[in-house]
């Protein structure tokens, strides 16, 4: 098969591992920078032009689209879909996953456990917002934040009011969520491929840090999910329409709570924590799909 990996950097761990796994299974694989693709739209013959040639002989794509290029990256994925290519992440699912508010609404509709969340249109009733999520401490998240950036823990009501008012003043859209104390600064990342959990890890934030992101110095170890956690992760990926997903959950007194469903989950943390060849599982998913 001819597989194209849509990534801006062929040296990234996830991209390099996917290339390696595809070559091991005797596929032709190439890394394509989505921002350098020209999309040619015409009746019955949509095409992608890249560095002086048409990418017409493409069987499947693996989108590794960063949040900063979601708009154009999604357009490229959509173009390949119009050409009849299989994709590990569909364009509409990619768009849904990048909208934090829409994602939470979809997960809520699927009756999945979530931290209590409030979103308002720059409301002046800050005290009411805080009360809606059970008071301080609470979490304030920028809607456009990724990898733990734009996430603030407000430990007191005064601090929460100050931060929310500051974001409102900057016209930065935020969601306010309850703080799950019993999670202890840790979360779970379940890696889903084609409706199955292929690996799971528990990420623990470094001392004094409530964010567990590995990019922020957190550590990871393999974990065996409970039935409830596994079912929640699979159901969340399905609700978002994602064939490949990283589902982030908190362990709480009322069961697993979904934080986020990531449409371009990194492979480095999960492969090193679990010792599993996740990249190979992605390529095998493509083989079944094509």
């Amino acid at each position: 098969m001819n597989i194209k990996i849509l990534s801006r950097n062929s040296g990234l761990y996830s991209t390099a591992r996917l290339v390696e796994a595809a070559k091991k299974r005797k596929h032709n694989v190439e890394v394509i920078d989505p921002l350098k693709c020209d999309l040619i739209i015409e009746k019955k013959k949509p095409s992608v032009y890249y560095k002086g040639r048409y990418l017409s002989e493409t069987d499947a794509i693996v989108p590794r689209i960063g949040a900063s290029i979601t708009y154009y990256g999604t357009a490229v994925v959509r173009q390949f879909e119009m050409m009849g290519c299989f994709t590990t992440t569909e364009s509409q699912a990619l768009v849904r996953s990048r909208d934090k508010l829409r994602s939470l609404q979809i997960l809520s509709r699927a009756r999945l456990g979530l931290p209590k969340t409030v979103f308002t249109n720059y409301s002046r009733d800050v005290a009411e917002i805080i009360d809606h999520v059970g008071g301080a401490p609470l979490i304030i998240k920028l809607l456009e934040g990724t990898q733990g950036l734009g996430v603030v823990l407000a430990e007191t009501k005064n601090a929460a009011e100050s931060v929310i008012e500051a974001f409102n003043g900057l016209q930065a859209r935020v969601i306010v969520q309850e703080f799950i104390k019993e999670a202890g600064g840790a979360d779970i990342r379940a890696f889903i491929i084609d409706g199955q959990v292929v690996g799971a890890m528990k990420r623990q934030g470094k001392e004094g840090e409530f964010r567990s992101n590995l990019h922020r110095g957190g550590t990871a170890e393999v974990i065996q999910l409970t039935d409830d956690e596994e079912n929640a992760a699979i159901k969340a990926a399905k609700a978002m329409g994602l064939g490949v997903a990283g589902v982030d959950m908190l362990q709480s007194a009322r069961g697993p709570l979904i934080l986020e469903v990531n449409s371009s989950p990194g492979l480095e943390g999960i492969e090193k924590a679990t010792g599993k060849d996740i990249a190979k599982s992605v390529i095998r998913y493509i083989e079944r799909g094509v």
Side-chain angles (χ1 to χ4, degrees), residues 199-221:
M201 61 179 173
K202 186 170 186 177
R203 304 180 296 189
Q204 179 70 54
K206 62 183 180 182
E207 190 172 349
E209 174 62 77
F210 72 96
R211 293 167 294 187
S212 59
N213 305 72
L214 300 184
H215 294 87
R216 312 204 67 79
T219 57
E221 61 180 12

Side-chain angles (χ1 to χ4, degrees), residues 162-228:
S162 297
V163 173
I164 295 170
E165 286 169 355
F167 278 132
N168 284 351
L170 293 169
Q171 296 220 319
R173 293 199 176 275
V174 297
I175 55 176
V176 179
Q177 286 186 328
E178 67 173 313
F179 177 64
I180 309 300
K181 185 178 180 180
E182 61 265 31
D187 72 3
I188 293 171
R189 160 67 63 88
F191 206 103
I192 312 291
I193 299 178
D194 197 15
Q196 300 292 323
V197 176
V198 296
M201 61 179 173
K202 186 170 186 177
R203 304 180 296 189
Q204 179 70 54
K206 62 183 180 182
E207 190 172 349
E209 174 62 77
F210 72 96
R211 293 167 294 187
S212 59
N213 305 72
L214 300 184
H215 294 87
R216 312 204 67 79
T219 57
E221 61 180 12
V222 66
I223 186 175
Q224 182 67 44
L225 298 181
T226 66
D227 287 347
D228 284 348

